[in-house]
Amino acid sequence: MMKLPRALQLVALTLTMASGLAHAQSYPNRPVKIVVPFATGGPADNYARFMAQRLSEELKQSFVIDNKPGAGSIIGTDFAAKSPADGYTLLMMSNTQTVNESLIPNKPFGLMKDFVGIAPINYSNLLLVVHPSVPVKNVAELVALAKSKPGKLNYASSGNGTPYHMAGELFKHMAGVDMTHVPYKGSSGARTDIVGGQVDVMFDAETTMTEFARGSKVRALAGTGVARSANLLDLPTVAETVPKYEATIWLGLMAPKGTPADIVNRLNAEVRKIVNNPEVKSTWAKQGAVPMSMAVPEFEQYLNADIAKWANIVKVSGAKAD
């Protein structure tokens, strides 16, 4: 093949860059779908709707939510993986997907093989809560009760592989207790049943469970962060009883692999502008959510590190996709 003179190579490169810039500037020119592979009412759904509204305002085009819950996020994530890589189908994801890389190895997709990271959004601690009928007032009493009745206490989660499931498995492993996992199709169903007393224990996002705890519908025993929550300073952490315990939920956006880099970079810039907005930071702080801001390469590194972290926890805890 004939090699172009250097001057022509530079012209070609300039035209390619200009084409990419024009592509990014014209995006989006029709509605963008954000697939949420979780049920309505949970943190992923709530923050997806928040981001959709802000992105619609910033980019002057509709960003619409498409909830596709089920199978521990596999159904919706697989749908997004098989969607056109044109920037018009995005995936709202959490550490559920990074957990599933090791918890459910025989999936119809691979997270880093079939997706590209756009940007993280935020993270929040979880609350360890029990139904008021469970006769415990703190983590130490819960551990003692669980040890006295192996397998008798159950804990709800929003599905296999979700942060709530893994928080429970990590607790079982580190506290040396046996509790029965009860997976739901979404966090709203699990939340309804712990409030109703159908299940005993639950780990749920501080952003959604705090109001139930303050209303005495559940009893909050502890937070799952390294430090006590700024919104719940009187509430101890699990780590104060079970040393080094930590579990959080984080959220982010991805797109099918092959989505043009200029679109990915533009979305990254828009998301970072939103999460770094002082008003957004203030609002989220009151909800217990902390903004996350990373460039695309940094987010890719974060995703790979999180996959490795949870692979180790799945291994040592013996967690299974029930």
Side-chain angles (χ1 to χ4, degrees), residues 21 23 31-32 37 54 92 135 145 164 187 207 223 248 264 292 312 319 321:
L21 180 61
H23 190 190
V32 178
R54 290 298 182 111
M92 183 71 172
L145 180 63
Y164 316 120
S187 56
T207 52
T248 63
V264 171
M292 298 171 70
N312 181 60

Side-chain angles (χ1 to χ4, degrees), residues 61-293:
Q61 185 58 259
S62 296
F63 280 69
V64 297
I65 301 301
D66 185 8
N67 291 93
K68 292 187 179 297
S73 82
I74 299 296
I75 292 173
T77 306
D78 186 46
F79 174 86
K82 292 178 170 58
S83 297
D86 56 8
Y88 290 91
T89 301
L90 310 179
L91 173 70
M92 183 71 172
M93 52 87 66
S94 74
N95 36 340
T96 295
Q97 278 88 346
T98 54
V99 168
N100 282 345
E101 287 299 284
S102 53
L103 186 69
I104 309 175
N106 297 319
K107 303 179 305 304
F109 60 86
L111 191 65
M112 304 309 289
K113 176 175 70 74
D114 294 311
F115 288 94
V116 60
I118 294 173
I121 293 172
N122 64 31
Y123 77 88
S124 59
N125 295 331
L126 310 182
L127 295 183
L128 167 56
V129 303
V130 297
H131 184 264
S133 65
V134 179
V136 299
K137 303 293 185 183
N138 53 51
V139 174
E141 291 181 2
L142 175 63
V143 171
L145 180 63
K147 286 184 174 180
S148 71
K149 299 180 177 181
K152 297 299 182 182
L153 288 178
N154 54 45
Y155 77 95
S157 85
S158 55
N160 291 313
T162 60
Y164 316 120
H165 173 205
M166 297 311 297
E169 291 300 316
L170 184 62
F171 180 78
K172 287 166 56 178
H173 171 70
M174 296 185 71
V177 299
D178 180 18
M179 297 190 298
T180 300
H181 177 219
V182 182
Y184 286 74
K185 195 174 181 179
S187 56
S188 58
R191 204 171 297 122
T192 296
D193 276 8
I194 192 163
V195 169
Q198 282 75 37
V199 288
D200 304 312
V201 182
M202 185 176 178
F203 290 84
D204 195 10
E206 179 185 329
T207 52
T208 50
M209 185 52 77
T210 298
E211 63 177 290
F212 294 95
R214 287 177 173 159
S216 299
K217 294 180 180 179
V218 297
R219 181 181 302 124
L221 303 185
T224 65
V226 174
R228 294 189 180 194
S229 167
N231 295 321
L232 300 164
L233 289 175
D234 292 335
L235 189 70
T237 65
V238 174
E240 291 174 43
T241 302
V242 182
K244 298 184 178 180
Y245 180 93
E246 179 192 4
T248 63
I249 178 172
W250 63 262
L251 304 170
L253 281 173
M254 300 188 82
K257 184 74 79 174
T259 299
D262 52 297
I263 290 178
V264 171
N265 288 327
R266 182 168 190 201
L267 286 169
N268 175 273
E270 295 296 339
V271 169
R272 295 179 76 182
K273 183 164 65 175
I274 292 168
V275 303
N276 285 312
N277 181 294
E279 179 187 349
V280 171
K281 286 184 173 182
S282 176
T283 299
W284 285 2
K286 294 173 185 176
Q287 299 168 354
V290 180
M292 298 171 70
S293 179

